[in-house]
Amino acid sequence: MSKNRLEHLAIIMDGNGRWAKKRGLNRTKGHEAGAEVVRDITKFCALHDDIKTLTLYAFSTENWKRPQMEVNFLMKLIKRYLKKELPLYMENNIKFDTIGDLSSFSKDLIDEINRVKEATKNNSALTQILALNYGAQDEIVRAVNRVLKDNKEVTIENISNALDTPYSSIDLLIRTSGEVRVSNFLLWQIAYSEFYFTKTLWPDFTSKELEEIIQNYKNRERRFGGI
Ligand code: FPP
């Protein structure tokens, strides 16, 4: 039985709205509870020997279609989260980064994002990447255009290098809440990923469940197209 390394973990954090609805609460309460779980899971990953990169889907290019009030709330929550969690990043040696097109965000939020990126740039236990205004098709189109603009040949390597980040491909992709789809997340980087879908709603997700999922992943056989 092979013991796979888990360097890059990606998570589609889904189910905040349903979690809140089940409790008769406003959807925003679900997002607030979800932000707490982001903190716990990030800390767990920083302390984990193998995991070097954690990519979290925080806001997709399609999320702008939500009611304006919910979009505004998510923007404020992300900003508040970054402000509050800087000590967590520093204490746990976590570098913060983003993927996605930040240009549509407010100057306030962009400033906060850049502040935390700058403050944490030399940290090395874990890189936490938030996907913000991120869509994989959008990322791939922007990458191909970059390759063409540089008069380079369109090759797998050149496209890979022109993506939003030079980070490695994804080893394991988890989606919470029972939905079994990828929703335009990291389409290029999941070519050979393992997938795990759990029915747990994101605000109920714990590091204990993550540990069990990692054990399940470790015992899988990965062949990358070989035999
Ligand atoms: C899906 O729940 C989740 C999101 C739209 C984004 C994830 C946001 C968070 C976890 C909170 C804030 C993040 C950070 C980094 C502070 P949903 O609303 O689609 O749930 P539903 O499918 O049950 O409606």
Side-chain angles (χ1 to χ4, degrees):
M1 193 77 64
S2 63
K3 285 277 177 207
N4 302 309
R5 279 182 65 76
L6 175 56
E7 279 184 26
H8 194 163
L9 170 66
I11 308 182
I12 301 177
M13 310 180 287
D14 196 11
N16 295 346
R18 275 163 285 167
W19 182 91
K21 200 172 163 208
K22 261 181 34 185
R23 287 163 176 74
L25 301 170
N26 192 290
R27 292 176 56 81
T28 53
K29 292 288 171 202
H31 295 314
E32 265 173 5
E36 297 292 315
V37 178
V38 170
R39 187 210 305 122
D40 294 347
I41 295 299
T42 300
K43 192 168 170 191
F44 171 88
C45 290
L47 296 171
H48 196 282
D49 283 347
D50 285 1
I51 305 173
K52 288 283 151 240
T53 313
L54 170 68
T55 301
L56 300 170
Y57 210 177
F59 195 86
S60 76
T61 44
E62 286 74 35
N63 285 154
W64 297 107
K65 291 186 223 150
R66 295 186 175 211
Q68 190 62 44
M69 180 257 173
E70 184 170 338
V71 171
N72 291 347
F73 183 86
L74 278 167
M75 295 296 134
K76 277 203 196 116
L77 181 64
I78 292 166
K79 195 170 137 210
R80 202 173 0 127
Y81 167 87
L82 288 173
K83 261 205 165 88
K84 189 169 146 217
E85 301 304 359
L86 185 55
L88 171 99
Y89 289 115
M90 300 315 288
E91 279 157 27
N92 292 282
N93 196 13
I94 299 166
K95 177 177 163 179
F96 168 72
D97 209 346
T98 61
I99 51 173
D101 181 3
L102 299 182
S103 63
S104 323
F105 292 130
S106 69
K107 185 176 176 306
D108 268 15
L109 180 54
I110 296 172
D111 286 350
E112 191 57 38
I113 289 169
N114 288 335
R115 195 175 74 91
V116 179
K117 278 186 188 174
E118 180 59 29
T120 61
K121 69 179 183 203
N122 295 322
N123 292 349
S124 59
L126 175 79
T127 301
Q128 183 215 49
I129 304 173
L130 288 189
L132 293 170
N133 191 23
Y134 176 84
Q137 291 175 336
D138 175 64
E139 182 188 28
I140 294 166
V141 168
R142 285 188 284 112
V144 173
N145 277 318
R146 233 171 267 155
V147 170
L148 294 174
K149 196 166 157 245
D150 293 346
N151 277 322
K152 287 188 186 149
E153 204 186 333
V154 177
T155 62
I156 291 175
E157 197 191 352
N158 286 342
I159 294 176
S160 295
N161 290 335
L163 291 169
D164 284 353
T165 65
Y167 296 110
S168 58
S169 55
I170 310 299
D171 295 306
L172 173 64
L173 173 68
I174 299 172
R175 182 172 189 145
T176 59
S177 93
E179 308 292 349
V180 186
R181 51 177 177 265
V182 175
S183 301
N184 201 14
F185 191 41
L186 303 168
L187 297 179
W188 184 272
Q189 298 88 336
I190 58 171
Y192 285 102
S193 302
E194 296 293 320
F195 293 87
Y196 194 99
F197 298 95
T198 169
K199 289 205 162 65
T200 306
L201 303 174
W202 176 252
D204 289 329
F205 194 70
T206 59
S207 49
K208 183 170 175 291
E209 181 171 2
L210 178 54
E211 240 168 313
E212 287 161 11
I213 295 172
I214 292 172
Q215 272 321 307
N216 173 293
Y217 162 82
K218 294 242 167 197
N219 290 325
R220 292 185 189 183
E221 197 185 335
R222 301 184 76 190
R223 290 200 295 273
F224 300 96
I227 50 170

